Amino acid sequence: MSYIILIIGFVLLIKGADYFVDGSSAIAKKVGIPPVIVGLTLVSLGTSAPELAVSVISSIQGNNGITLGNVIGSNLFNSLVVLGVSAMIVPLVIKKKDTKRDFSVNIFSTILVVVLTLVGFLLGGKVISRLDGIILLICTLIYMVILIFQSKGNNSEEISEIEDIKLSTKIILSIIGVAGITIGGQLVVNSSKEIATTFGISDKLIGLTIVAIGTSLPELVTSVVAILKGEDDIALGNILGSNTFNLLLILGTASAINPIKVSTSLFIDLAVLLVVTLFIGALVFINKKEEKTISRKEGFLLIMVYIVYTVYVIMRN
């Protein structure tokens, strides 16, 4: 029954995020908010809604192993599996000038979280504190402001018109989406705890694997669809944006609510995430060409790295 509830929770999370994005985006455009701002805020936050819901709920309940494990696991899944699968389908062409900013912010965010965690270790607290959470949230705000201001000058789209659709319908759709995210998050957290207890495994392992993969499904689907449509930049932007929001917004919100305890094993996982992030950044920027193609072989290598890491995590538990 716990597995069934877990699956139902994932479905509610993913569909709830989908409804929330559709409804809130339509409302925003209806009242005259430019599409670029909608995309950079509501849509970006919507794809990270499953992780946010699970992390906040687990943080409120004191299950911080799931919180940090979910963020680390989701980012590793995005960087290795989502990017790897995308490259396996069609070799992924990355334009340096278009991705330099997002790659830099993603690397900075990862290093910042590692530094804050390391400081917590050195001070003997072994936690990501509320102050750390506030710092991460401030960085989130700064990042979003930069995105909006930089994109305004490049925005050539006209505000979309919504015809024959009542505003009340979109408001109801958004409310249903929020309800789905909230209920789904509760189901995922509670069922994950039951599964962990039944098999005698830690909530950290559940967060790093099952919960992380489940909450990253929207990013996987979005990136694959974008690749099939030839939109390589959208696929990569989705991965980088999700990873950045996971580290800054989600981890920041969760730790601001309740300081997150960091075990030695999770610190190792965080170090693995840093190495993977730097490796992918080097893979793209180490050559002098303006474009870097991630081949099918490199995509396969990324997937294999994730499999090896997952086996290690399971054996470690």
Side-chain angles (χ1 to χ4, degrees):
M1 183 58 69
S2 295
Y3 293 103
I4 295 175
I5 294 175
L6 182 66
I7 294 173
I8 293 174
F10 281 140
V11 171
L12 287 173
L13 277 173
I14 295 170
K15 292 304 296 181
D18 186 34
Y19 287 154
F20 170 74
V21 169
D22 287 345
S24 56
S25 296
I27 293 170
K29 293 175 184 178
K30 186 74 172 179
V31 298
I33 299 177
V36 63
I37 297 180
V38 174
L40 289 172
T41 54
L42 294 175
V43 176
S44 296
L45 295 176
T47 56
S48 294
E51 289 92 340
L52 181 60
V54 169
S55 295
V56 169
I57 291 171
S58 59
S59 183
I60 292 174
Q61 295 181 355
N63 301 312
N64 291 326
I66 292 180
T67 301
L68 184 55
N70 180 35
V71 170
I72 296 173
S74 293
N75 280 23
L76 284 172
F77 186 84
N78 289 341
S79 300
L80 298 174
V81 178
V82 177
L83 188 61
V85 170
S86 298
M88 287 280 288
I89 295 173
V90 178
L92 194 60
V93 179
I94 299 175
K95 299 176 183 178
K96 288 185 179 180
K97 65 177 182 178
D98 295 335
T99 58
K100 184 177 181 180
R101 178 197 62 199
D102 295 326
F103 260 115
S104 300
V105 173
N106 187 30
I107 292 172
F108 166 78
S109 302
T110 307
I111 293 175
L112 176 61
V113 171
V114 171
V115 169
L116 292 176
T117 306
L118 182 60
V119 169
F121 259 69
L122 294 177
L123 295 178
K126 295 186 178 181
V127 297
I128 300 178
S129 67
R130 286 190 173 92
L131 177 60
D132 295 334
I134 293 172
I135 293 173
L136 294 175
L137 289 176
I138 292 173
C139 289
T140 305
L141 181 60
I142 294 173
Y143 177 52
M144 292 184 70
V145 170
I146 291 174
L147 283 177
I148 291 172
F149 274 94
Q150 287 186 349
S151 299
K152 273 185 176 181
N154 299 323
N155 182 29
S156 59
E157 297 179 86
E158 295 181 358
I159 298 175
S160 302
E161 293 184 2
I162 303 174
E163 299 178 355
D164 301 325
I165 297 178
K166 293 182 178 180
L167 192 61
S168 58
T169 302
K170 292 302 179 180
I171 293 176
I172 293 173
L173 190 65
S174 299
I175 294 173
I176 292 174
V178 172
I181 292 170
T182 304
I183 297 172
Q186 288 277 8
L187 293 179
V188 168
V189 171
N190 293 336
S191 58
S192 297
K193 286 167 55 183
E194 291 181 8
I195 293 172
T197 302
T198 301
F199 288 94
I201 57 180
S202 66
D203 56 355
K204 296 186 291 293
L205 176 59
I206 292 292
L208 283 166
T209 54
I210 298 175
V211 176
I213 293 172
T215 55
S216 294
L217 290 179
E219 285 85 354
L220 177 60
V221 173
T222 301
S223 295
V224 169
V225 171
I227 287 295
L228 292 175
K229 291 182 177 180
E231 302 287 353
D232 293 20
D233 291 341
I234 292 179
L236 183 61
N238 176 49
I239 294 169
L240 293 175
S242 176
N243 283 359
T244 298
F245 277 115
N246 284 348
L247 290 166
L248 297 181
L249 174 64
I250 295 175
L251 201 56
T253 302
S255 56
I257 293 172
N258 192 6
I260 300 175
K261 295 180 181 178
V262 184
S263 65
T264 303
S265 60
L266 279 177
F267 189 78
I268 293 173
D269 297 319
L270 197 55
V272 171
L273 176 60
L274 177 60
V275 171
V276 168
T277 303
L278 293 175
F279 171 76
I280 294 176
L283 188 68
V284 175
F285 292 102
I286 201 168
N287 62 77
K288 297 181 179 180
K289 296 180 179 179
E290 287 302 316
E291 292 185 354
K292 161 65 182 175
T293 300
I294 299 182
S295 65
R296 287 188 172 91
K297 288 183 179 180
E298 290 170 331
F300 177 75
L301 174 62
L302 293 176
I303 295 173
M304 290 305 299
V305 170
Y306 183 80
I307 292 175
V308 171
Y309 164 75
T310 303
V311 171
Y312 157 72
V313 169
I314 294 174
M315 294 293 292
R316 181 184 69 192
N317 187 75

